[in-house]
């Protein structure tokens, strides 16, 4: 059933600060069900560290993961603002507009913007 995929949190990001993020596509092997999730943390020095953490977790649940790219997130919880920007040299730029749509579902009362700025 689709419940396991629905149980995977769409967004796991740090509550404050500026940090790297990746956009990951989960897929059932053989196609069918898929969804995109956002993961970002200051603890990750490099984006592949985030992916290396997400990937085994998702494989255990029976999903294949593909990194769709990355960038940075600036999360200001006090002002309820999130800015998505930048790119990943290794994975390429995520489609920030997709990331923003995912974030908006989670942070409904936030002002969420994106740009291709590096800083």
């Amino acid at each position: 059933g689709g419940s396991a995929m629905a149980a995977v949190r769409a967004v796991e990001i740090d509550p404050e600060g500026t940090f790297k993020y990746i956009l990951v596509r989960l897929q059932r092997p053989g196609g069918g069900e898929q969804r995109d999730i956002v993961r970002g943390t200051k603890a990750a020095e490099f984006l592949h560290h985030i992916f290396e953490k997400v990937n085994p977790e998702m494989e255990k649940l029976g999903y294949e993961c593909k990194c769709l790219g990355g960038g940075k997130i600036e999360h200001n919880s006090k002002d309820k603002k999130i800015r998505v920007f930048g790119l990943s040299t290794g994975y390429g730029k995520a489609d920030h507009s997709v990331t923003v749509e995912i974030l908006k579902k989670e942070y409904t009362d936030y002002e969420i913007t994106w740009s291709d700025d590096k800083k």
Side-chain angles (χ1 to χ4, degrees), residues 56-74:
E57 286 174 12
M58 296 306 147
E59 280 181 345
K60 267 191 220 122
L61 297 172
Y63 302 114
E64 291 169 348
C65 289
K66 188 168 88 184
C67 185
L68 301 179
K72 286 186 177 165
I73 286 176
E74 183 180 30

Side-chain angles (χ1 to χ4, degrees), residues 41-54:
T41 175
K42 274 203 286 273
E45 195 182 339
F46 300 105
L47 282 173
H48 63 259
H49 292 170
I50 306 176
F51 189 68
E52 282 161 13
K53 187 177 173 299
V54 173

Side-chain angles (χ1 to χ4, degrees), residues 32-113:
E33 198 186 5
Q34 63 174 44
R35 80 182 275 215
D36 297 344
I37 61 172
V38 174
R39 294 289 183 271
T41 175
K42 274 203 286 273
E45 195 182 339
F46 300 105
L47 282 173
H48 63 259
H49 292 170
I50 306 176
F51 189 68
E52 282 161 13
K53 187 177 173 299
V54 173
N55 200 30
E57 286 174 12
M58 296 306 147
E59 280 181 345
K60 267 191 220 122
L61 297 172
Y63 302 114
E64 291 169 348
C65 289
K66 188 168 88 184
C67 185
L68 301 179
K72 286 186 177 165
I73 286 176
E74 183 180 30
H75 189 172
N76 182 334
S77 53
K78 189 168 58 78
D79 296 343
K80 297 199 174 202
K81 283 185 179 172
I82 294 177
R83 187 169 74 98
V84 184
F85 65 102
L87 54 86
S88 155
T89 41
Y91 289 118
K93 186 176 80 69
D95 186 338
H96 295 328
S97 62
V98 171
T99 303
V100 165
E101 288 313 307
I102 297 169
L103 290 169
K104 276 180 177 167
K105 290 188 189 115
E106 198 80 7
Y107 295 93
T108 48
D109 55 346
Y110 268 61
E111 182 192 323
I112 304 175
T113 56

